Amino acid sequence: MTPRLLLSWLALAASGALAQVQVQELQLKALFNPQAPTSYVPGAAVDFGTVPTSAPTTVTFQLANTGPDDAILTLLQVDGSAFTLVRTEGGSEKLVVPAGQSLEFTITFAPSAAGPATGELWVQIATPASSLTPTVQPKVEYDLKGTGSGAIIGPTPTPTPTPTPTPTPTPTPTPVWPSATIGAQPAPLVSGQQSTISIRFNSPLPASGAGLLTMNFTGKGDTQRGFICANGAFAPSQVSFTLSAGDTWARFAGNQTIEFQTGTLASAIAFTAALGDGTALGSQSFTIAPAAVYIDTVVLEAAANGALVEASGYDNTQKASTASFTFYNTSGQQIGLPITVDATAPFASYFANAATGAFSLTQAFSVTGDVSGIGKVAVTIQNAVGPSAGVMSQ
Amino acid sequence: MTRHLAAFGLYLTAALAQSGVQAPRAGCLLGANGSLRPVYGVAGAFLADVPATTGAISAACSDSLALVKTATSLEVRDASLQLLAQWDAPPGAALFALPRTGQTAFAYYPATGELVQVGPQSAPRTVLDSESLGGDALAIASPDALHLIAVVAGTPGPRLARISVADGVVQTQTPLEDVAAPLALLSDGTVVFADGVGLVIRPPGAAVQRLAQPVIHGNVRQEQSSVLAPTVRPVVTEQRMALPAPAAAIDQMGGLWLAVRLADGSAPMALRLAGGGEQTCRVPAKETAP
């Protein structure tokens, strides 16, 4: 059964606006005071009202899962240069929204000029979270809109100079940062992959600065997941970037992208970009889906009174069970039937203490006859998703 | 569960008691600063751990051994980089040939031109002295237990020498074209060398076909080649692979992998040549505690 996600808007802005959005059940509620929520359907507009350009407003939201199953939040994104999404409750560790619980975040409406501004809020979940193969639900969109007032950009009437004995210092204006999109290539992310991550802004940056790109994830830690810095260093969770006025990209050691190693465990990954002072710039979530075992290499060696087969790869579910070995003679003819070994226990024992899905399975075989008659062996390993591709020894 | 199969005069038995699972080890990585790190993981998910030793000038790893050249010694280490033996050695760098598995390996000292066989239990034994090769070795490899092959620099150009390990006799020497350091030699005779901001991977077939051409010197090369071309078209062609930056060094990272250190100091590229294709990925290094 599809769980219902209830997106509750707890308005903490000066207006006291409170809204509720119900995803999947196609119900949106918005209250302009905490006691009276108003409902919207997906696609309806949520109005932030009229906000001075000099005084951005921030609204806190709650994403509530009112369904019977835990849900994985696979996408929570805001588009539109005047709107910025900030995760506030529990960071990204709460990407799994348990049934009956909620996730908090805020959206800041900061109009850069007088006049109307629009944006979109995108929400997507996968359910049930307890499944190895959760079903990704369709994206749900809510329109965001508001109106900026004051601080008009453009020709303004020249005021009549008023003689003053001493000039009043003009406060330095706080730059309004455009919305950022965090992208990954190639997409979707899968285990055992080295991809690139970028942060692109939808308009030129108003000022220079520096910030941090942070990666959080659900589930077990993965020692092989992290950023690959320009100097070759591995950064498990965070890298710095710089911003230059007029640019539309965040730069990692001068580059538009930074390499990212996805690791070997299935997980939901969330990237968050923020300035050094904590000002949020953007966030993006990705799901690395559970997959069949990947066998990278198979090595066949002669051993005392037999043969030794070593299969290396990764199981991003950590639930590998049986391994099947098919032997071939030096002419390429299959020798008998495949030999199946139940390796559930050694896999479980290893993965219990391993912060990785990478493994090396070694299986010894006793051989009666001429061991040199064995030419190759093909190995297949099963996990909860299914059997791996068969990989021949090298 | 245990099953049996019998065919072709072979009878195989698998026993659970003889199966085990552990973290996959891919070899070792030599840093430009002389650190040597064990590498764990699989393709696309490698991670070089904190350094196991420092002060290395040259290093190479197989699936079972590692050889490390320091300023004054040759170290034999196991696959975990634990020190097994240490021997005095000439100053400077070294070239290594390590079979994918096994307990015997070879080292060549450019400073003296000496080629030695070494293992964890045996002191270095000289296979070749400085005179026998007739030039400086640029790379060595071990195709089988009885032979070594070496890319040797000399006049008029580099050549591939095949050497008997037992008696040190250079059995064959064949010219190689257009190879340049840094380079690596694989056990099957494939030469991998840097070319601009990329690598050239020249399998032995390509080299053999080129050698079938008559020796041509100087400015007449193009003209004579065009006349002779129809009869000497290579069957196996060399491959070119782009790199993010020029290669600074090519080391044997493990039994299956080469490590290509890059001149821009970014994470090295691991390169595996198997099945007629190549596979590459970065090898990031875990930062050491301050």
Side-chain angles (χ1 to χ4, degrees):
Chain A
M1 177 177 175
T2 302
R4 293 170 297 156
L5 283 176
L6 187 66
L7 184 63
S8 301
W9 301 29
L10 297 181
L12 303 180
S15 64
L18 177 68
Q20 288 188 322
V21 180
Q22 187 161 349
V23 184
Q24 304 306 325
E25 294 298 323
L26 307 178
Q27 187 179 39
L28 173 75
K29 290 184 179 178
L31 274 184
F32 294 94
N33 67 65
Q35 285 75 42
T38 303
S39 297
Y40 296 87
V41 295
V46 178
D47 195 349
F48 280 69
T50 300
V51 174
T53 55
S54 58
T57 186
T58 297
V59 179
T60 300
F61 299 86
Q62 280 189 332
L63 181 64
N65 179 4
T66 61
D69 297 320
D70 296 349
I72 301 171
L73 180 65
T74 57
L75 175 68
L76 182 63
Q77 178 179 314
V78 164
D79 292 334
S81 61
F83 298 90
T84 304
L85 172 68
V86 186
R87 298 288 294 280
T88 58
E89 186 189 73
S92 300
E93 286 77 19
K94 290 198 68 175
L95 278 172
V96 171
V97 186
Q101 296 189 30
S102 60
L103 178 72
E104 273 198 6
F105 62 93
T106 66
I107 295 177
T108 298
F109 174 47
S112 58
T118 60
E120 296 87 33
L121 167 64
W122 295 91
V123 180
Q124 188 178 38
I125 61 168
T127 57
S130 57
S131 169
L132 288 172
T133 56
T135 302
V136 179
Q137 307 294 334
K139 289 181 184 177
V140 177
E141 176 199 356
Y142 298 93
D143 290 336
L144 306 176
K145 70 176 186 179
T147 303
S149 67
I152 298 170
I153 296 175
T156 55
T158 305
T160 304
T162 303
T164 52
T166 54
T168 303
T170 304
T172 304
T174 302
V176 177
W177 298 93
S179 176
T181 299
I182 299 175
Q185 284 291 333
L189 296 180
V190 297
S191 291
Q193 181 184 61
Q194 291 179 343
S195 58
T196 58
I197 305 295
S198 63
I199 306 172
R200 186 174 190 178
F201 296 90
N202 61 2
S203 62
L205 293 163
S208 297
L212 292 172
L213 176 63
T214 304
M215 185 272 296
N216 287 294
F217 55 88
T218 60
K220 201 171 180 180
D222 187 337
T223 54
Q224 281 143 328
R225 179 185 300 139
F227 299 99
I228 304 174
C229 301
N231 65 355
F234 182 75
S237 62
Q238 205 169 57
V239 288
S240 61
F241 58 79
T242 56
L243 304 173
S244 298
D247 200 354
T248 54
W249 296 87
R251 302 280 173 170
F252 303 92
N255 302 312
Q256 283 183 0
T257 61
I258 184 162
E259 291 180 86
F260 178 73
Q261 191 160 279
T262 58
T264 54
L265 291 177
S267 179
I269 297 176
F271 295 99
T272 304
L275 293 176
D277 64 2
T279 301
L281 298 172
S283 63
Q284 181 66 56
S285 300
F286 299 93
T287 298
I288 296 178
V293 171
Y294 173 78
I295 301 177
D296 186 47
T297 56
V298 175
V299 176
L300 170 66
E301 292 178 46
N305 301 320
L308 204 61
V309 179
E310 182 179 325
S312 299
Y314 61 81
D315 170 18
N316 77 0
T317 70
Q318 294 193 320
K319 302 285 186 188
S321 53
T322 57
S324 177
F325 302 83
T326 306
F327 288 87
Y328 298 85
N329 66 15
T330 51
S331 301
Q333 296 171 295
Q334 183 174 326
I335 305 173
L337 296 173
I339 300 176
T340 300
V341 174
D342 185 354
T344 304
F347 271 121
S349 175
Y350 165 71
F351 282 132
N353 299 306
T356 177
F359 67 83
S360 178
L361 168 68
T362 302
Q363 178 65 49
F365 293 88
S366 298
V367 178
T368 302
D370 183 6
V371 177
S372 65
I374 302 173
K376 287 184 178 294
V377 60
V379 180
T380 301
I381 299 174
Q382 179 97 20
N383 71 0
V385 175
S388 71
V391 174
M392 193 75 79
S393 57
Q394 297 178 337
Chain B
M1 184 173 75
T2 301
R3 293 183 61 178
H4 306 269
L5 61 85
F8 302 101
L10 287 166
Y11 188 83
L12 287 91
T13 305
L16 258 187
Q18 295 179 345
S19 65
V21 182
Q22 60 184 355
R25 184 178 287 126
C28 65
L29 189 66
L30 175 64
N33 61 357
S35 65
L36 188 65
R37 301 165 178 263
V39 178
Y40 295 96
V42 295
F46 283 134
L47 183 60
D49 208 342
V50 295
T53 185
T54 57
I57 299 173
S58 308
C61 290
S62 69
D63 288 344
S64 52
L65 277 185
L67 291 186
V68 182
K69 177 67 177 64
T70 68
T72 57
S73 68
L74 175 66
E75 297 176 353
V76 182
R77 294 174 176 262
D78 66 13
S80 303
L81 299 183
Q82 296 296 310
L83 185 63
L84 301 176
Q86 188 173 33
W87 314 98
D88 290 340
L95 303 175
F96 300 117
L98 285 84
R100 184 166 155 184
T101 59
Q103 298 294 307
T104 297
F106 300 88
Y108 172 82
Y109 304 121
T112 60
E114 186 184 16
L115 179 62
V116 299
Q117 182 177 20
V118 67
Q121 309 293 337
S122 54
R125 177 185 73 86
T126 299
V127 176
L128 268 180
D129 58 28
S130 59
E131 304 298 322
S132 302
L133 272 180
D136 296 330
L138 303 176
I140 59 176
S142 175
D144 57 59
L146 302 177
H147 297 92
L148 272 178
I149 51 177
V151 176
V152 182
T155 304
R159 59 192 186 278
L160 185 66
R162 184 177 175 88
I163 303 154
S164 167
V165 170
D167 53 18
V169 171
V170 178
Q171 297 176 327
T172 62
Q173 296 199 69
T174 50
L176 290 172
E177 293 182 36
D178 306 327
V179 297
L183 63 78
L185 180 61
L186 307 188
S187 59
D188 68 352
T190 296
V191 183
V192 180
F193 59 98
D195 181 25
V197 292
L199 288 179
V200 177
I201 301 163
R202 183 178 295 164
V208 168
Q209 290 301 324
R210 284 165 179 254
L211 294 173
Q213 299 182 29
V215 177
I216 298 164
H217 301 285
N219 297 330
V220 296
R221 172 179 170 168
Q222 282 297 103
E223 183 182 344
Q224 293 193 8
S225 293
S226 63
V227 172
L228 298 169
T231 61
V232 293
R233 186 178 298 277
V235 174
V236 181
T237 58
E238 64 188 20
Q239 301 173 59
R240 291 178 180 268
M241 189 180 74
L243 292 173
I250 307 172
D251 301 316
Q252 184 177 342
M253 186 176 90
L256 292 170
W257 292 90
L258 295 176
V260 182
R261 269 186 282 155
L262 302 174
D264 65 357
S266 61
M269 303 294 298
L271 167 65
R272 177 169 60 186
L273 304 173
E278 70 269 4
Q279 186 175 13
T280 61
C281 63
R282 294 275 198 178
V283 188
K286 188 181 282 188
E287 288 194 293
T288 52

